[in-house]
């Protein structure tokens, strides 16, 4: 049995702590602040004129929609949200400001932030040297990628809108072709029947991505039929569970705990 290096245990459990393990400490690095501290700065970052930002609007800015990726290829991982990305200053022990870079996409209603999303991944999908975004939807229909056009608003590309509540998404090379693919599916009854499509069949898909320099990515959806009726929940894991060098899917949600083995 492997001994844990770090254990977080509630006091009610009265744990016996092995003090011989390595001392692992975490230091908080503040990236963004609540609008009560810097309302004007948050308003500017979110693209509004008013210097007053209430709690509900702040939740919209930094609530659903989160990812980590090196957006500017400087070797440092940045933080992605639906309204843009916070640039890692490099030295996290310094007091340097994390610069915010707004992202707006073209829609029929003008330029807007990303639609209400869940996981966000930075990925040079069209192999043109800059990072695009691949993302899913927390409580509505949709899986998309947003094309970084270099200047101005980004271009949205709808990948799949046949099912809703793709609340969690993971990236992995599913078929062993050396390119990262994406796995997602429905979250069953996220708001107990209140979300669009909550009464639809629960589905799971993996999206095969083929990238070629100078071309739009070829994205092919593959239904994971063994996942019908299971869905992904708020999060899931992908690991080789049986040692056959193929990624498997580990699920824990309202449908129970399941492992989907790839054959």
């Amino acid at each position: 049995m492997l001994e844990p290096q770090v254990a977080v245990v509630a006091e009610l459990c009265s744990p016996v702590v092995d003090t011989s393990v390595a001392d692992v400490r975490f230091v908080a690095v503040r990236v963004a602040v609540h609008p009560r501290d810097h309302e004007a700065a948050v308003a500017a970052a979110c693209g509004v004129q008013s210097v007053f930002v209430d709690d509900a609007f702040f939740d919209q800015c930094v609530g659903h929609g989160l990812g980590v990726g090196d957006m500017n290829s400087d070797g440092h991982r940045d933080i992605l949200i639906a309204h843009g990305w916070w640039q890692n200053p490099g030295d996290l022990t310094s007091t340097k400001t994390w610069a915010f870079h707004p992202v707006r996409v073209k829609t029929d209603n003008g330029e807007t932030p990303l639609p209400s999303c869940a996981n966000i991944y930075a990925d040079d999908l069209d192999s043109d040297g800059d990072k695009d975004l691949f993302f899913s939807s927390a409580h509505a229909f949709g899986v998309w990628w947003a094309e970084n056009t270099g200047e101005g608003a980004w271009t949205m590309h709808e990948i799949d809108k046949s099912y809703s509540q793709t609340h969690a998404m993971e990236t992995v090379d599913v078929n062993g072709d050396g390119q990262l693919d994406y796995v997602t599916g429905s979250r069953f009854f996220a708001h107990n029947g209140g979300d669009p499509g909550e009464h639809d069949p629960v589905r799971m898909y993996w999206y095969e991505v083929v990238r070629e320099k100078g071309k739009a990515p070829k994205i092919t959806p593959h239904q994971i039929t063994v996942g019908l009726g299971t869905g992904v929940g708020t999060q899931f894991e992908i690991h080789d569970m049986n040692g056959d060098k193929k990624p498997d899917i580990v699920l824990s949600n309202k449908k129970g705990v399941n492992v989907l083995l790839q054959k």
Side-chain angles (χ1 to χ4, degrees), residues 42-49 57 83 100 102 104:
V42 174
C46 294
V48 298
Q49 297 298 318
F57 187 81
H83 285 250
F100 186 78
R104 298 292 181 267

Side-chain angles (χ1 to χ4, degrees), residues 154-174:
W154 296 33
T155 302
M156 282 274 291
H157 300 274
E158 183 179 292
I159 299 169
D160 197 341
K161 214 169 184 179
S162 64
Y163 62 109
S164 70
Q165 302 174 102
T166 49
H167 201 291
M169 182 167 60
E170 295 290 336
T171 182
V172 66
D173 182 3
V174 174

Side-chain angles (χ1 to χ4, degrees), residues 123-127 171-182 206-213 217-219:
D123 190 336
D124 186 5
L125 291 158
D126 51 8
S127 301
T171 182
V172 66
D173 182 3
V174 174
N175 56 354
D177 66 352
Q179 299 205 42
L180 287 175
D181 309 301
Y182 291 88
W206 71 276
Y207 294 90
E208 180 181 3
V209 183
V210 177
R211 302 160 183 82
E212 187 174 347
K213 189 173 180 61
K218 180 181 179 182
I219 303 175

Side-chain angles (χ1 to χ4, degrees), residues 2-50:
L2 294 177
E3 292 295 331
Q5 293 300 301
V6 181
V8 180
V9 185
E11 291 183 0
L12 293 177
C13 294
S14 300
V16 176
V17 180
D18 181 0
T19 58
S20 66
V21 299
D23 179 18
V24 179
R25 295 180 298 166
F26 294 88
V27 177
V29 177
R30 174 164 288 195
V31 177
V33 295
H34 194 276
R36 291 291 174 264
D37 298 324
H38 294 281
E39 290 174 339
V42 174
C46 294
V48 298
Q49 297 298 318
S50 174

Side-chain angles (χ1 to χ4, degrees), residues 58-78:
F58 188 76
D59 289 341
Q60 180 187 12
C61 289
V62 296
H64 273 312
L66 181 65
V68 172
D70 186 359
M71 289 296 293
N72 55 347
S73 301
D74 63 355
H76 304 296
R77 295 187 177 185
D78 309 303

Side-chain angles (χ1 to χ4, degrees), residues 27-38 42 58 79 86-89 91-99:
V27 177
V29 177
R30 174 164 288 195
V31 177
V33 295
H34 194 276
R36 291 291 174 264
D37 298 324
H38 294 281
V42 174
F58 188 76
I79 298 177
W86 300 92
Q87 182 177 341
N88 186 331
D91 182 4
L92 299 188
T93 64
S94 73
T95 57
K96 292 181 180 178
T97 301
W98 289 60

